[in-house]
Amino acid sequence: MSRTNFDQLLEAGCHFGHLRRKWNPAMAPYIFMERNGIHIIDLHKTVAKVDEAAEALKQIAKSGKKILFVATKKQAKDVVAEKAASVNMPYVIERWPGGMLTNFPTIRKAVKKMANIDKLMNDGTFSKLSKRELLQVTRQRAKLEKNLGSIADLTRLPSALFVVDVMKENIAVREANRLGIPVFAMVDTNSDPRNIDYIIPANDDAKDSIDVVLSACCGAIAEGLEERKVEKADEKAAAEQMEGKAPRKARKEEAEAAE
């Protein structure tokens, strides 16, 4: 069963592409027709591509790996933050910090700096600072929180990137390509899909369009996380059962030896 359907995507406006003069010829396979100078995306292909991407995302989540969501455009920020947080995945909705993937240790240092400031604030060290110094530190902490707070738990490179608008987030896509990190993306008719591993042809400007695609993908991620939890619980129960059997077996062997 599909995770989304033609009518849902149509209602959300996923089919609206860009003006014909702005199109990228590499998107031709996903364009259904042109209407009033605007390209219309083939939603049957979008349904298939959403299912394909969702299944791959589910397997990544099931293996316990992280998926980094990236969307710094105004209409996508809130939706991405809400959906990514609902499945406990990191996200970037402010400016993309250049080198975030290719120079990951430096980004981790900035995150640790934020944690250190919190520690010093809690243990009373900052109470000895002047008002001006305290204000400077507080502002620095707020800036770090704004840009890096959502990736504070990302202790290693993500296993995949989910991008909304590959043109706007081209630096993030290039960094992921360079490191061999698979990229999932909503790709509009004005974008180049050739560097994207899992293409979801859809309108990346409308909030409803972004919402319906992310709901399907994050639903799959939630399923993967749930299945992982169940498998771990089963493994734990099996291990405990084996531990219980071992002493009984040992006692039986001892009794047989005594006879």
Side-chain angles (χ1 to χ4, degrees):
M1 187 178 169
S2 289
R3 294 183 179 277
T4 185
N5 59 54
F6 186 94
D7 292 335
Q8 268 184 314
L9 297 176
L10 186 69
E11 194 177 329
C14 294
H15 58 298
F16 290 119
H18 279 265
L19 291 169
R20 188 187 170 204
R21 60 186 168 83
K22 289 186 176 181
W23 85 308
N24 190 309
M27 282 298 288
Y30 307 105
I31 294 171
F32 175 63
M33 65 179 287
E34 179 197 330
R35 188 191 295 156
N36 300 327
I38 293 171
H39 275 133
I40 303 298
I41 294 164
D42 187 342
L43 292 183
H44 289 296
K45 289 187 177 176
T46 304
V47 169
K49 289 292 185 181
V50 167
D51 287 345
E52 185 187 324
E55 192 53 42
L57 288 165
K58 179 182 173 179
Q59 295 308 317
I60 291 169
K62 191 176 175 180
S63 65
K65 294 170 182 173
K66 291 288 184 183
I67 299 145
L68 177 62
F69 287 78
V70 186
T72 59
K73 66 198 298 181
K74 190 180 177 183
Q75 57 270 51
K77 280 184 181 186
D78 294 341
V79 178
V80 169
E82 181 196 334
K83 300 293 181 189
S86 71
V87 287
N88 200 27
M89 291 294 171
Y91 56 90
V92 173
I93 56 169
E94 299 300 331
R95 184 184 65 83
W96 174 262
M100 182 175 160
L101 300 178
T102 51
N103 197 12
F104 190 69
T106 304
I107 298 296
R108 283 303 305 161
K109 279 179 190 173
V111 172
K112 281 179 184 173
K113 189 175 185 180
M114 189 167 68
N116 287 338
I117 290 173
D118 288 344
K119 190 179 174 184
L120 293 171
M121 278 181 169
N122 293 333
D123 68 13
T125 305
F126 283 167
S127 59
K128 298 165 190 172
L129 296 177
S130 67
K131 278 188 180 179
R132 187 176 170 215
E133 287 170 327
L134 191 59
L135 185 64
Q136 285 176 335
V137 171
T138 307
R139 280 178 179 166
Q140 186 184 31
R141 170 69 179 78
K143 189 178 178 183
L144 286 168
E145 175 63 41
K146 185 181 177 183
N147 293 322
L148 304 173
S150 58
I151 59 162
D153 297 330
L154 191 64
T155 54
R156 62 182 68 184
L157 282 169
S159 293
L161 226 63
F162 190 105
V163 175
V164 177
D165 194 338
V166 296
M167 283 183 75
K168 187 168 178 62
E169 315 303 343
N170 67 90
I171 298 171
V173 172
R174 284 207 307 267
E175 287 189 30
N177 290 158
R178 191 172 163 189
L179 296 172
I181 296 170
V183 179
F184 296 73
M186 287 180 68
V187 187
D188 215 326
T189 58
N190 65 334
S191 306
D192 187 351
R194 286 173 290 190
N195 293 324
I196 309 303
D197 300 280
Y198 292 87
I199 301 157
I200 301 173
N203 177 357
D204 63 13
D205 292 313
K207 194 172 182 179
D208 288 346
S209 174
I210 296 163
D211 190 294
V212 74
V213 171
L214 277 174
S215 293
C217 291
C218 288
I221 291 170
E223 282 176 23
L225 293 171
E226 189 59 37
E227 284 181 18
R228 177 177 169 78
K229 199 188 289 183
V230 170
E231 280 181 10
K232 284 207 161 192
D234 288 347
E235 283 171 15
K236 189 180 177 184
E240 286 172 356
Q241 198 174 2
M242 289 302 290
E243 282 174 16
K245 281 180 181 177
R248 285 202 300 273
K249 189 179 178 183
R251 284 197 298 271
K252 189 179 177 185
E253 285 174 357
E254 282 174 13
E256 285 172 358
E259 286 172 7

